[in-house]
């Protein structure tokens, strides 16, 4: 049975062209980029070429791109790095209730270190209201961190407006763009973003590599100390093949462009409209301000995990929320934040599309889903 | 011209069998190991299989292996993780003057956080004297960190004796085994090691993956916060292909075994004896307690970097010290610690062999080296 993968927000397969770009850097051009000899220079050149390409893609300077081991490290580096470097300016950070655990858990840790964190609420659609950011800013505020789009419900935040407010108040602005990088237009200068996190494996690149954009005007402290790599902000032998793969993935996303986003958006809307025909179903998140590839729905009286496992048996891979916390028994903090009751939050399903998702895949899925929902409702104790 | 790579302490090419083991996990078995569906379980199984194999290799339990992004992260996690978790017990850490920058820079940072660090001196051969460790232990000592073998001069430390002393005084013992993991016998239980850092790319595995062995009795704080991966000690989507590659590299090292070490040791000794025939040359480090693949020599009146670049032109890739700091203009802290004057330390050359190094490679190298040394001495201002 051909499996249908509908969990692209969790991770994506490495694209053929990305693997091809990486291949020379495994066994042939394998040097340590810090080595002065030929093999080292070859690796260094490849990294700097990748850095240039990626920087250009978001209108940053190459020196503003710090390669990391992934989105989680980028988020940790952004928050702690700025917090430690700005201690003398203040100890207040503003974020939202629906951030990724890489932000929320980092904030919890910073609270233990004496920082004060404001967790902003969101609307029923999962939107952060720019006015709420402005109201929360105090003279001690050093940083605001609001994700570009939510990984569970796909809501796209008004980060340009929020960034403008931050600029006005001379507060740094960070965005976790792991779900949007390579998909939505990003121009860090135009958007007034000071720091931005991204990850390669969400856009058909390799796992184990990410980046943090750090505007040249931002003071940031290193978290990982050692040989002084990445301008002394992130020590550790560079993952050359991974970085080259990241750049190739960015190139692929540029090539796919708006056309692919439009294609996914149409499949998404087909999915949403058909799923909402199922009785007692609801769409979580915004209908308009939504990632082109994200569907998040709840079915009354149905347990999300049971639904996931039944769909899995039928060959469909979906998620109940964020893969990053899917092994937890807690209801999704995002769904709770948009007003769902715990029992409703447990009944949610996330379907995220990718470049290889076909209309037939969606049709097959829509053929199976209502039956499973009905069958689960029959045995439901609710 | 076929290039001869003699810098295996900096990094190694990915072995064919390692790449083959990784390949299925790029585009086919590409799941996020936290996902509950088939793709996720497949990734999870692969990671746990790798963890089991690697744990067995050093006589650890699988739950004692924490995968990281590399040796630098492992060193940071070991030192800061233990320091933060043991704050109530004491604030004193003992290490040596010849550790890798990933240890030394982390210690410098910990000093800024209020920890006291003792940097032990070493003998002229680069050996840490176990008695010096015992003498340095105070009632505030929480951790001793001594590398298994030095990355520049290859000196193998008496870590079993040091670990025994630590155990006696109920102080935790960490060793940076990045240069020995997979090469020298390691049995963490027999050796009384509490924490151990290792890296894949030094043993023909991929860059961007490492591990920290943490004995189940050790309390350690996470440095990277997020989704709670790796038993909540190291959050971040697991680099599945990288972890699988790490296990395959370990398997390869087991297969190569003592036979390959013996082969490299012979080539090393040939190199050393022939190089020492060059006038005013000296071997840095110990003759006996030395990594089988490491040669580190100095030539009076010769600048190491000039030598490296001339050798590079002739197709030989060597190093002046650690690749990790080779872009720095400071003389090697290791060579200074074993008593070389700064001008002598600048004249050193590190040659490190690997599984593909042949006797012909060494002969060709020995043909070229004396001529270059002589020619550089002619133009030397010293």
């Amino acid at each position: 049975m051909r499996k249908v993968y509908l969990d692209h927000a969790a991770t994506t397969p490495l694209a053929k062209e990305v693997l091809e770009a990486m291949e020379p850097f495994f066994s042939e051009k394998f040097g340590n980029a810090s080595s002065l000899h030929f093999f080292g220079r070859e690796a260094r050149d490849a990294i700097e070429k990748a850095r240039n390409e990626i920087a250009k893609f978001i209108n940053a300077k190459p020196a503003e791109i710090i390669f990391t081991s992934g989105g989680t490290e980028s988020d940790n580096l952004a928050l702690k790095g700025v917090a430690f470097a700005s201690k003398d300016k203040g100890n207040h950070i503003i974020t939202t209730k629906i951030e990724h655990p890489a932000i929320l858990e980092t904030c919890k840790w910073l609270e233990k270190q004496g920082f004060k964190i404001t967790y902003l609420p969101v609307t029923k659609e999962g939107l952060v209201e720019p006015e709420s950011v402005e109201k929360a800013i105090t003279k001690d505020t050093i940083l605001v961190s609001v994700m570009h789009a939510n990984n569970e419900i796909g809501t796209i935040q008004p980060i340009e407006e929020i960034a403008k407010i931050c600029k006005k108040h001379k507060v740094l602005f960070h965005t976790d763009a792991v779900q949007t990088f390579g998909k939505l237009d990003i121009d860090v200068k135009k958007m007034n973003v000071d720091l931005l996190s991204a990850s390669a494996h969400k856009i058909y690149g390799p796992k184990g590599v990410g980046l943090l954009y750090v505007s040249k005007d931002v003071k940031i402290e290193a978290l990982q100390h050692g040989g002084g790599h990445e301008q002394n902000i992130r020590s550790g032998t560079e993952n050359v093949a991974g970085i080259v793969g990241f750049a190739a993935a960015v190139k692929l996303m540029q090539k796919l462009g708006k056309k692919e986003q439009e294609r996914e958006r149409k499949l998404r809307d087909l999915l949403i409209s058909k799923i909402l025909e199922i009785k007692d179903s609801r769409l979580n998140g915004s209908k308009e301000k939504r990632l082109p590839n994200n569907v998040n729905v709840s079915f009354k009286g149905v347990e999300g995990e049971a639904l996931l496992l039944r769909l899995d048996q039928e060959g469909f891979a979906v998620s109940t929320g964020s893969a990053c916390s899917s092994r937890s028994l807690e209801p999704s903090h995002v769904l709770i934040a948009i007003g769902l009751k715990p029992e409703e939050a447990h009944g949610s399903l996330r379907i995220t599309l990718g470049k290889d998702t076909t209309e037939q895949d969606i049709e097959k899925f829509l053929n199976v889903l209502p039956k499973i929902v009905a069958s689960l409702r029959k045995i439901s104790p609710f």
Side-chain angles (χ1 to χ4, degrees), chain A residues 251-314:
Chain A
K251 204 172 158 189
L252 170 64
M253 295 310 282
Q254 282 181 290
K255 203 182 97 190
L256 291 173
K258 294 237 186 307
K259 204 175 153 190
E260 171 60 19
Q261 298 308 316
E262 212 33 65
R263 193 188 72 87
E264 291 180 18
R265 198 187 313 269
K266 270 186 196 153
L267 292 179
R268 175 198 75 180
D269 290 340
L270 172 68
L271 260 176
I272 291 176
S273 68
K274 292 289 179 187
I275 289 175
L276 291 183
E277 288 175 10
I278 299 174
K279 212 187 136 201
D280 285 334
S281 62
R282 61 163 281 173
L283 177 71
N284 299 313
S286 165
K287 209 156 181 188
E288 289 78 30
K289 289 171 182 168
R290 184 175 205 101
L291 282 175
N293 74 330
N294 174 293
V295 176
N296 189 308
V297 282
S298 294
F299 303 96
K300 205 174 169 183
V302 174
E303 218 275 306
E305 197 168 310
L307 191 49
L308 180 155
L309 294 174
R310 287 287 292 274
L311 283 164
D312 185 50
Q313 284 172 352
E314 302 287 331

Side-chain angles (χ1 to χ4, degrees), chain A residues 25 75 80 94 161 179 273 347:
Chain A
F25 296 92
D75 283 345
K80 297 177 194 168
I94 298 168
E161 286 179 62
Q179 291 293 338
S273 68

Side-chain angles (χ1 to χ4, degrees), chain A residues 3 14 50 82 101 172 243 336 359:
Chain A
K3 302 219 179 281
L14 197 69
V82 166
L172 294 176
I243 290 168
I336 296 297
E359 205 171 327

